[in-house]
Amino acid sequence: MATFRELARTPGVARIIAAQLTARFPSGMISLGVLIHVEHMTHSYGAAGTVLAAMSIGQAIAGPITSRWMGRWGMRPVLSALTLLYAAAITVIALTPLPVPVLVALGLLAGLSTPPVQSAVRTIYPKLVNSRQLGALYSLDASLQELIWVAAPVLVTFLALQVSSVLALLVVAAVALAGGAWFILSPEVGRVRIPRSRSSFGKVLRKPTVLLTTGLGVLFIGSTAAVEAGIVATFGEGGVESGLVLAAYALGSLTGGLGSGGIPMSPWSVARRLGIVVLGSALTLVMVANPFWLALALFIAGLGFAPALAVMLAGTSASVKFSETAEAYGWINTGQLIGAALGSMAAGFAIDGGGPVGAYLVSIAMIAGAAIIAAVFHRGFPDLRHRDASPIPDTEQLPIIT
C-alpha cells in the first residue's frame, strides 16, 4: 500500500484517475440504459439487442482507429469531437421516437464515436510517473475501473426502471459530457503529445505482446461475460443476489489489484494470475445455486482479474513505441469487446441447452484457455522484474552536415 500512497502524492495522478473514471463511467451505464429504453419504446428485446449489437460493432471498429487519430490530430481535438458526437447520438435516442432501423443506425454512430479515453489515459501514464511507479499505476488503474462496473449498472437500472428510461439515457449523455470535459481539460492531457505513428495501420499487431494481449482479452473478458450471464440466469434479472455476487467478483478484483501493485512482473505472471481466476471460476460448480458460495468463489476469481490485466497493460506499454501505445490499447479494447459479445452469446446458448451451469462451464473453458495460452506463449510478455514498463522511445534519422 505504500506504493499507492506514493502514487497518490504524485502531482496529477489522483486528478487524472478521477477524471478518466468519470469520463468512462457511461460505458458501464449505456448497455442497460439502451436495452431498457429501446425495449420500452418497441416492446421488443430483439430490437433492443440489435441496437446494442450495432453499438458494440461500432466500438470494436472504432477503437484502434480513433486511438490512432490522437497521434495525428492530438488528444484534445479528437476526444472533444467524439464526446460531443457520442452525447448527441445518445440524446437523440432518448428523446426521439424513431423506427428501429434508425435506432440501429444511431446505435452504430454512438459506438463509432465512443471517446477512446481508456487508450488516452494509458498513453499518458508513462509520462505522468517515474518508471519505477508505472507498473503499480497500471495495477491501480485496472483495480479502480471495477468501481465503474459495480456502481454504473445499479444507477442506470434504478433510473430507468424507477424513474424514466429517457432520464437514464440523458444522465448517460450528461455524465459523458461532464466527465469528458473534466478529462479533456486536465493539464496532463494538454502536456502529453502523442507522436504521429510512422508505421502503417495495424502493424502494431505484429508485436507479440500486443497480439497476445488482444487475443487473451477475447477469452478473458468473454469468460467474465459468460459468468455474468450465468449469475443472472441463476437468480433472475431482478434478483438482489445477482448484484451481490457480481459485487463480490468486483471486490475481489479490486482487492487483488491493490494487493499486487508492488509485486514484480515476470513473463509467467499473466499465466499465474489467470490461474487464480480459473480456480475461483471452477469453484462455482460446487454449489451453483448458493449465492454465498458463488460470492466466495467469484471473490477468489476476482483476486486474479485486475492483477492479470495490469501485467498485460504494463507489458504492452513496455513492448511498443510511445507513438504506437494508443493504437495498441485500441486493439486490446476491441479484443475485449469481441470477447464480451462472444462470451454472452455462447453463454446464452449454453443456458438454453443446459441451464445456468452451462454458462459457468463456458466461462471456465474460456478462462482456462486464456491461462493455457498465456503459459504456452509466456515469452511473448517482457520480463519487468529488472526493467520498467516505459514505452520504447521514438527515434528518427537526423541529417548530419559533413
Side-chain angles (χ1 to χ4, degrees), residues 1 4 7 17 20-21 24 118 122 125 135-150 249-262 273 302-311 313:
M1 295 304 291
F4 295 118
L7 276 175
I17 287 179
Q20 64 99 0
L21 287 175
R24 290 168 56 196
Q118 191 167 246
R122 289 170 179 170
Y125 285 159
L137 184 52
Y138 281 120
S139 294
L140 183 62
D141 175 271
S143 303
L144 292 181
Q145 72 175 6
E146 295 297 337
L147 299 176
I148 296 174
W149 307 111
V150 173
Y249 196 7
L251 180 61
S253 181
L254 180 62
T255 303
L258 295 178
S260 65
R273 297 178 186 199
L303 290 174
F305 188 96
L309 181 59
V311 179
L313 295 176

Side-chain angles (χ1 to χ4, degrees), residues 114-134:
T114 302
V117 174
Q118 191 167 246
S119 298
V121 74
R122 289 170 179 170
T123 301
I124 291 172
Y125 285 159
K127 302 297 183 181
L128 192 60
V129 298
N130 62 49
S131 57
R132 181 178 53 83
Q133 298 173 306
L134 192 53

Side-chain angles (χ1 to χ4, degrees), residues 231-297:
I231 290 168
V232 172
T234 300
F235 302 110
E237 293 182 7
V240 66
E241 297 95 338
S242 298
L244 293 175
V245 172
L246 290 174
Y249 196 7
L251 180 61
S253 181
L254 180 62
T255 303
L258 295 178
S260 65
I263 299 176
M265 300 175 180
S266 76
W268 282 97
S269 292
V270 174
R272 290 174 183 145
R273 297 178 186 199
L274 287 178
I276 298 173
V277 186
V278 173
L279 172 62
S281 300
L283 290 174
T284 60
L285 296 178
V286 176
M287 289 185 281
V288 295
N290 187 313
F292 299 104
W293 177 261
L294 284 178
L296 174 62

Side-chain angles (χ1 to χ4, degrees), residues 188-209:
E188 294 74 24
V189 175
R191 285 198 293 263
V192 176
R193 176 72 174 89
I194 304 174
R196 183 170 179 171
S197 178
R198 292 177 173 81
S199 60
S200 58
F201 177 71
K203 190 175 180 180
V204 71
L205 285 173
R206 296 181 185 178
K207 302 291 178 67
T209 305

